[in-house]
Amino acid sequence: MLATLWIILLSSTFGKCLDNGLAKTPPMGWLSWERFRCNTDCVNDPDNCISEQLFQTMTDIVVADGYASVGYEYINIDDCWLEKHRSHDGKLVADRKRFPNGIKALSDYIHSRGLKFGIYEDYGNYTCAGYPGIIGYEEKDALQFADWNVDYVKLDGCYALPYDMDHGYSTFGRLLNSTGKSMVYSCSWPVYQIYAGIQPNYSAIQTHCNLWRNYDDIQDSWASVENIIDYYGNNQDVIAPNAGPGHWNDPDMLIIGNFGLSYEQAKTQFAIWSILAAPLLMSVDLRTIRPQFKHILQNRKIIAVDQDPLGIQGRRIYKHKGIEIWSRPIGPLYQNFYSYAIAFVNRRTDGTPSDISVTLKELGLINFSGYRVEDLYENVDYGVLYPNTKIKVKVNPSGVVMLKGEVQYPVDL
Ligand code: GLA
């Protein structure tokens, strides 16, 4: 009988899900990949190569320029931080020239500034850029990350077998958990399976990961952002229900402030990412970002939509002739009536703003006591509007108008 009890106990520990208490709202921070890629040439390009100096500089700016005070907290390394080979005793070693003080020193630096530290690895034999992967070293690497006081692990899926991922990603999540150090766990599990023609098991994925990539890498172009927006809209019935506090879909980094997006397009990316309850990971050179883009990234009202504690991912509720309406239920609630964030997106290219007219009722805002409606980019307050009120917004080409409708209580309450 004791043996049976032991087996039951063992299997319940083994079957335990991630449940690390982290990422109750989507993680916010800075991630190197989209902007700085795998630039390892610190000799010719010392200011832009993947090095401890780059991460220290970004840490300083996140704190000094107000990003930390609106919620950005993780400073995350992506690929290309490693030596090409492990140490003789099988440990991961950061590139000795580019990280001369080692990862623990960088982690300490970031923590000493009040921020959190993220790292990148890959479930396969190699990372996507060809550095050592974790396979065969899972336990050692999980312990190493804990030892370095890592707060966030992005685990990529290059050079791995997509069929093995159900096992591999869940095992590594457990290993991270059992180090005793809580680490946000970002998985690329579904995207590699989808590419291999496998239907991802999202209920397993959301049990084991705090966030996961569903689709292509973002690139520095509006076409790429549009592609991602379409993917999340077209597949929302499968994808959206998997999001919630502690577990999020990840449409990839924010490219706001780089070279490929206009001001309007940057506003659209930020609005849609907040509707999608997406992680807000900036990948931009914060040393040179123009003020107008910084302003978008620091829009507290839109960040509050993204970080809404109910954690319900929004949806595309209308799409016709280049006009889209996206809507996300948020707090506060009155009885079972939600408040809403609504994004009106103009995907048309015929150079003049498009008018969109719609009643609140048509948007699903049907509470008789009405909604206090405000514009989240323009700081215009429309006052309390009712289900039959028709609103009209003017949306610039490839731009967005973002409103919030806060549910009202009956006055006699
Ligand atoms: C993959 C990931 C990217 C990035 C690169 C690094 O393509 O999807 O986000 O991490 O690998 O090589």
Side-chain angles (χ1 to χ4, degrees):
M1 201 179 123
L2 261 185
T4 326
L5 191 68
W6 185 232
I7 288 167
I8 291 171
L9 276 177
L10 258 184
S11 59
S12 66
T13 324
F14 194 67
K16 218 174 93 186
C17 65
L18 181 68
D19 194 21
N20 56 13
L22 299 176
K24 289 296 179 206
T25 61
M28 294 175 64
W30 186 89
L31 178 61
S32 54
W33 182 255
E34 196 286 329
R35 176 61 181 79
F36 293 96
R37 304 283 161 157
C38 194
N39 179 352
T40 54
D41 187 1
C42 292
V43 174
N44 295 305
D45 198 7
D47 292 339
N48 298 298
C49 62
I50 298 301
S51 68
E52 62 183 33
Q53 191 201 311
L54 181 72
F55 295 96
Q56 286 172 359
T57 305
M58 294 306 155
T59 302
D60 293 346
I61 301 178
V62 164
V63 174
D65 289 1
Y67 297 94
S69 59
V70 297
Y72 295 95
E73 63 175 339
Y74 291 96
I75 301 293
N76 292 358
I77 303 184
D78 207 280
D79 207 346
C80 305
W81 61 273
L82 282 158
E83 283 284 341
K84 281 277 161 80
H85 300 284
R86 289 174 178 266
S87 68
H88 59 88
D89 54 351
K91 287 189 166 175
L92 292 169
V93 183
D95 185 281
R96 292 186 180 87
K97 290 209 178 72
R98 294 181 284 115
F99 294 85
N101 296 296
I103 294 299
K104 182 61 168 57
L106 178 59
S107 168
D108 288 347
Y109 184 90
I110 292 169
H111 287 117
S112 74
R113 274 32 177 202
L115 300 181
K116 294 184 173 145
F117 171 56
I119 211 162
Y120 166 98
E121 248 297 357
D122 187 291
Y123 165 57
N125 288 308
Y126 302 99
T127 71
C128 294
Y131 295 84
I134 66 161
I135 223 157
Y137 297 89
E138 291 90 337
E139 193 169 352
K140 208 182 206 47
D141 292 350
L143 288 167
Q144 177 68 86
F145 293 156
D147 210 43
W148 284 337
N149 205 7
V150 166
D151 302 294
Y152 181 122
V153 177
K154 169 175 171 180
L155 193 67
D156 213 337
C158 278
Y159 302 104
L161 295 171
Y163 277 103
D164 290 349
M165 289 182 177
D166 286 5
H167 170 72
Y169 272 94
S170 55
T171 304
F172 194 65
R174 282 190 205 102
L175 289 171
L176 287 178
N177 226 9
S178 57
T179 63
K181 159 79 192 165
S182 305
M183 292 178 253
V184 170
Y185 186 32
S186 161
C187 300
S188 300
W189 176 1
V191 61
Y192 287 94
Q193 293 197 325
I194 290 166
Y195 286 145
I198 304 166
Q199 185 76 39
N201 178 350
Y202 276 115
S203 65
I205 292 167
Q206 60 171 281
T207 316
H208 294 287
C209 304
N210 293 117
L211 61 151
W212 52 83
R213 289 276 308 282
N214 314 76
Y215 189 57
D216 275 356
D217 287 5
I218 198 160
Q219 311 290 342
D220 196 1
S221 74
W222 174 236
S224 169
V225 171
E226 285 193 296
N227 230 323
I228 294 173
I229 292 174
D230 287 340
Y231 182 82
Y232 283 85
N234 295 342
N235 295 282
Q236 59 191 359
D237 291 343
V238 176
I239 290 173
N242 306 317
H247 45 99
W248 311 100
N249 293 296
D250 177 9
D252 213 1
M253 289 156 270
L254 296 168
I255 58 164
I256 294 163
N258 292 325
F259 310 103
L261 297 189
S262 70
Y263 177 61
E264 296 298 328
Q265 292 161 354
K267 283 167 71 180
T268 305
Q269 190 192 17
F270 206 55
I272 296 294
W273 262 233
S274 77
I275 292 279
L276 292 174
L280 299 179
L281 296 169
M282 310 178 283
S283 192
V284 56
D285 190 344
L286 297 173
R287 295 168 296 200
T288 53
I289 189 169
R290 292 192 182 125
Q292 61 189 15
F293 293 112
K294 175 179 166 191
H295 204 64
I296 295 171
L297 290 167
Q298 296 194 358
N299 183 317
R300 286 176 189 266
K301 291 182 177 179
I302 295 181
I303 291 172
V305 171
D306 182 77
Q307 298 287 301
D308 182 73
L310 296 175
I312 303 168
Q313 180 169 333
R315 286 167 176 263
R316 188 178 67 198
I317 58 170
Y318 178 87
K319 177 179 161 72
H320 188 58
K321 293 192 172 166
I323 300 298
E324 294 179 12
I325 305 177
W326 290 71
S327 154
R328 175 175 177 189
I330 54 175
L333 278 145
Y334 163 61
Q335 293 178 343
N336 49 356
F337 296 106
Y338 289 99
S339 302
Y340 286 89
I342 310 275
F344 300 88
V345 180
N346 181 0
R347 303 272 300 269
R348 298 166 66 96
T349 50
D350 54 332
T352 192
S354 291
D355 287 339
I356 307 176
S357 291
V358 66
T359 60
L360 293 196
K361 196 166 56 189
E362 286 169 317
L363 296 170
L365 279 61
I366 53 170
N367 171 43
F368 283 127
S369 311
Y371 299 81
R372 195 172 67 77
V373 177
E374 63 171 327
D375 186 313
L376 301 185
Y377 273 121
E378 297 303 324
N379 283 327
V380 179
D381 193 333
Y382 290 92
V384 176
L385 308 181
Y386 297 91
N388 286 322
T389 316
K390 189 165 234 165
I391 49 172
K392 187 165 117 181
V393 293
K394 225 178 220 331
V395 193
N396 296 339
S398 68
V400 69
V401 168
M402 188 157 185
L403 303 180
K404 179 172 123 182
E406 188 173 314
V407 74
Q408 300 295 295
Y409 294 60
V411 262
D412 55 0
L413 265 190

